[in-house]
Amino acid sequence: APTYRASFADADGGVLLVRELDPIVAVTSHPAGGVTVASGGVRLRRAGEVVASERVATDAEAFWDWFTGEVLPAVARTLDTEAAPLLAEIAVVASLSEPDDVLPIDHETDSVLEVLHEEVYFGVLEAFERACGGAAPRSLGVGRVLPFFQGAPGAPLRARVTVRESGSDRLGVRTRDGGWTLAPRCGARVLVCAVHGRGALPTGIELEVVGEADEVGAALRRLRWSAAQPDAPWPPGVAVRLANGPAGGADRVGDRAPSAGAFQLRPAAASPPPPEPLPDRPLHPHEVVRFARAWGARHGAARVATPRETALGQPLVVIEVTDPERAAPSRARAAAWRPTLLVSARQHANEATSTQAVLRWLDVWLRDPTLHRRANLVLHPLENPDGARLHAACCVLAPNHMHHAARYTAFGADLQANPRVRGEVIAESLMRHDAARRWRPIAHLNDHGYPAHVWIRSLSGFVPRGFGDWAMPTGHLTILTTHASDERAADELRERLAAAAGIALRTDAGAHALTQAQVARSARYQDAPAARATLRSGLPFWLGHRPQATGDDAPQPIVRDGPDRRSPLHALAPLVTLITEVPDETVDGEAWHRCVRAHERVDDAVARSLLGWLAG
């Protein structure tokens, strides 16, 4: 059996103590092959010798055996592999007696609950890939995966999986002639006020519906209607209380039987102005809209718009900044007069510090005439609002978890890969194509993040498949890619921009020291550290030149059909792509602020250096 041995030595190398640990192990079920894990059990010792040993499966093992052995195969058999997305939603709600401990080093944790979140999310993706015949591109829309795990010490394991088929996300009514009428978007917000009986399964849920009177009424009617359906989302025996704001009336839905009581509908109070400064926590999509509009009202050079909506009806925000003293009559002329920088944040919604960083940098940009008179700025402060909503819900249960289920869009695909749903490219992807077509940006500054602690999937092999570069944090990483046809000029430009980014990070002593420490730790403990990383003054860089993007990351052509034309529209590759990677998943306090500063400083330094190169 596996044995762990620890030797303790004095300063001269003399061995003081040797101890061994021989844990009870088991092989978990996994479609790609069994994985050995430490299990639970009972041992009887007599005079120091083990005379009897019996394994007792942990809650995590019992859940995983059931989920991979019964649930995933049953769901995979029902998939329509030609549909996009494959499912509308698969939700896992479970309470189990497993630890969730924070360790006293950086942001490391010992959390079985977090492991299960990651295992379920990536396990679903991998199972659906196999159902589709092998490794699938990032454009494959698997649907929403919602893993919600809650610790219940001493309580029995409880788990429930709910699946909605593809197309069931289309709200509407079937007409008498067999047609389908889509329901209008509803602007009301549904908030969870309280959950009762959290020890095992909840016994009651209080929801608050906030919005204008007509929107609240429409939302309440939908909730009542859904509760009356045979496959209602309300768990059996759970009382659900609905209220339309603090001053409004209330209704109760229990055992799937809605009350017929009347509601007192009143408009919600006006939203307060955005607080200053930006909060040191992930922003909800509604907050991003408020902050963006506040910035637009404060600065005449900023134009704020919400030209598109996500699958779940969340507005996609764009902020466009031109020279206020030389306003162009059109975007085309503004783009011709000055170069344009495209800046995007939270492409992956669980990488949350990027939104604060780009909004803070926008303020710097608007206050500095040397910047906004030399270039246009197009800002997407939250590219993935649906993922941000899910991230906010997950953080209520566990703010110190990575929550990769919130990484992609509501269709379960990366917006960068231009996924199609019912034949149409999703709106989140089209926002980038809109910017490319209207502004022809010379640079794309794309702020990202990654786990701030060791990332494990202990039930399927520890290192996440395809994410080995991110298995251990290595501090603040800068990825610079040039796309110029002249490789020599591209090399010179890339070196210039990398030097500017390095100076910006070294001026933050905390960020520099953390990065050096984490790079050294990763080199010591990680089996195969990222070979493509180049260290400069202890800071990691990925530097590359790609004249034309290829593979899954390449902008795919979008074909627009019209009555008299059919032409491909490509997202034009900018001269420079900058990706800032910070270890921000799960952090708070000073670590949060350090990640925000790193994004902001590198974006600012690279933008100024690029504009100086263009002017020189």
Side-chain angles (χ1 to χ4, degrees):
T3 301
Y4 298 85
R5 180 179 294 108
S7 299
F8 300 83
D10 60 20
D12 298 325
V15 176
L16 302 176
L17 184 67
V18 177
R19 286 289 183 267
E20 291 185 352
L21 173 65
D22 182 16
I24 296 174
V25 298
V27 177
T28 66
S29 60
H30 193 270
V35 176
T36 301
V37 298
S39 184
V42 177
R43 276 180 175 162
L44 177 64
R45 296 177 185 271
R46 179 180 299 153
E49 296 293 327
V50 176
V51 296
S53 179
E54 182 176 344
R55 177 201 169 207
V56 178
T58 64
D59 274 5
E61 294 170 75
F63 167 82
W64 188 241
D65 287 345
W66 170 71
F67 188 72
T68 58
E70 298 182 31
V71 175
L72 285 183
V75 175
R77 284 194 297 269
T78 66
L79 292 179
D80 179 2
T81 56
E82 301 299 322
L86 301 178
L87 286 179
E89 181 178 284
I90 176 170
V92 180
V93 180
S95 61
L96 58 165
S97 184
E98 291 286 0
D100 191 5
D101 301 324
V102 177
L103 303 180
I105 175 171
D106 290 351
H107 288 268
E108 298 299 330
T109 65
D110 177 18
S111 174
V112 176
L113 301 177
E114 183 178 39
V115 167
L116 288 173
H117 175 109
E118 301 297 312
E119 293 285 18
V120 164
Y121 174 64
F122 287 100
V124 168
L125 265 59
E126 292 161 7
F128 289 4
E129 285 180 1
R130 288 190 296 272
C132 293
R138 296 169 74 182
S139 59
L140 174 67
V142 300
R144 296 183 84 203
V145 183
L146 310 177
F148 295 107
F149 289 92
Q150 183 179 357
L157 166 64
R158 297 178 182 271
R160 176 189 179 102
V161 177
T162 305
V163 178
R164 290 198 294 120
E165 295 180 355
S166 180
S168 61
D169 54 324
R170 302 175 68 196
L171 297 176
V173 294
R174 184 75 63 184
T175 59
R176 291 185 178 181
D177 59 0
W180 180 267
T181 301
L182 285 176
R185 291 291 184 188
C186 181
R189 299 171 60 196
V190 180
L191 309 176
V192 179
C193 300
V195 178
H196 304 289
R198 296 173 70 96
L201 286 180
T203 58
I205 303 174
E206 295 185 23
L207 305 176
E208 183 177 284
V209 186
V210 180
E212 299 297 328
D214 54 345
E215 294 175 340
V216 169
L220 293 175
R221 286 192 293 273
R222 287 188 186 183
L223 289 168
R224 289 172 178 165
W225 175 86
S226 67
Q229 304 309 303
D231 57 347
W234 313 116
V238 176
V240 179
R241 182 176 181 273
L242 306 174
N244 64 298
D251 201 359
R252 179 186 177 91
V253 178
D255 294 331
R256 300 180 179 175
S259 166
F263 279 77
Q264 182 182 1
L265 301 178
R266 299 180 183 178
S271 299
E276 293 290 351
L278 287 161
D280 54 351
R281 56 168 175 76
L283 287 174
H284 192 278
H286 290 284
E287 294 179 297
V288 174
V289 175
R290 290 199 296 116
F291 274 108
R293 287 175 176 166
W295 256 255
R298 195 160 44 209
H299 300 281
R303 175 183 175 271
V304 180
T306 54
R308 295 184 183 274
E309 281 189 347
T310 67
L312 302 182
Q314 297 295 303
L316 288 160
V317 178
V318 59
I319 306 173
E320 299 173 339
V321 183
T322 56
D323 184 355
E325 297 181 4
R326 193 183 178 192
S330 68
R331 287 191 186 92
R333 186 163 295 181
W337 282 350
R338 290 176 296 276
T340 298
L341 305 182
L342 171 63
V343 184
S344 55
R346 286 184 90 177
Q347 172 184 333
H348 304 145
N350 61 324
E351 303 164 8
T353 58
S354 54
T355 294
Q356 270 86 339
V358 299
L359 287 175
R360 280 180 39 159
W361 187 48
L362 172 64
D363 205 35
V364 172
W365 180 283
L366 290 169
R367 296 176 188 276
D368 189 344
T370 63
L371 286 175
H372 67 71
R373 288 177 183 169
R374 294 170 63 186
N376 307 308
L377 185 69
V378 178
L379 193 74
H380 297 162
L382 177 55
E383 287 196 300
N384 185 2
D386 290 347
R389 281 183 59 187
L390 176 56
H391 184 250
C394 291
C395 284
V396 171
L397 285 178
N400 63 317
H401 292 179
M402 296 177 288
H403 301 310
H404 280 99
R407 172 181 172 85
Y408 288 163
T409 64
F411 296 116
D414 196 338
L415 65 92
Q416 183 173 323
N418 298 323
R420 294 174 181 267
V421 175
R422 290 183 276 276
E424 299 291 333
V425 176
I426 65 173
E428 293 91 324
S429 302
L430 290 175
M431 289 288 285
R432 287 192 181 183
H433 290 273
D434 291 344
R437 185 180 69 254
R438 294 171 178 171
W439 293 97
R440 307 283 179 98
I442 195 169
H444 182 197
L445 313 183
N446 192 1
D447 292 349
H448 282 255
Y450 68 100
H453 58 248
V454 173
W455 182 2
I456 64 171
R457 291 178 59 194
S458 55
L459 298 172
S460 57
F462 279 87
V463 178
R465 185 171 65 87
F467 292 88
D469 288 337
W470 313 104
M472 290 187 72
T474 55
H476 302 279
L477 169 69
T478 304
I479 304 174
L480 267 167
T481 307
T482 49
H483 305 279
S485 56
D486 186 339
E487 290 193 28
R488 188 174 201 178
D491 292 343
E492 294 177 358
L493 174 60
R494 196 166 57 251
E495 290 299 318
R496 173 192 178 106
L497 300 182
I503 293 172
L505 286 173
R506 288 196 298 274
T507 57
D508 189 327
H512 193 196
L514 174 79
T515 299
Q516 289 180 306
Q518 291 191 341
V519 166
R521 188 185 306 158
S522 176
R524 180 178 182 184
Y525 292 109
Q526 193 167 353
D527 286 340
R532 50 181 164 169
T534 300
L535 291 180
R536 300 187 175 191
S537 300
L539 298 170
F541 286 81
W542 291 359
L543 304 176
H545 176 66
R546 190 165 54 182
Q548 185 175 2
T550 58
D552 284 345
D553 292 336
Q556 301 299 315
I558 297 177
V559 178
R560 290 193 170 180
D561 297 325
D564 56 353
R565 65 190 180 106
R566 182 181 178 85
S567 61
L569 174 66
H570 292 265
L572 301 176
L575 178 65
V576 175
T577 301
L578 168 72
I579 296 178
T580 53
E581 294 279 4
V582 300
D584 69 345
E585 292 174 18
T586 73
V587 303
D588 55 15
E590 174 53 30
W592 170 279
H593 292 293
R594 184 177 57 242
C595 291
V596 172
R597 289 196 306 268
H599 280 311
E600 182 185 1
R601 289 184 177 187
V602 174
D603 285 345
D604 186 72
V606 169
R608 290 177 188 273
S609 181
L610 176 61
L611 294 178
W613 180 79
L614 291 172

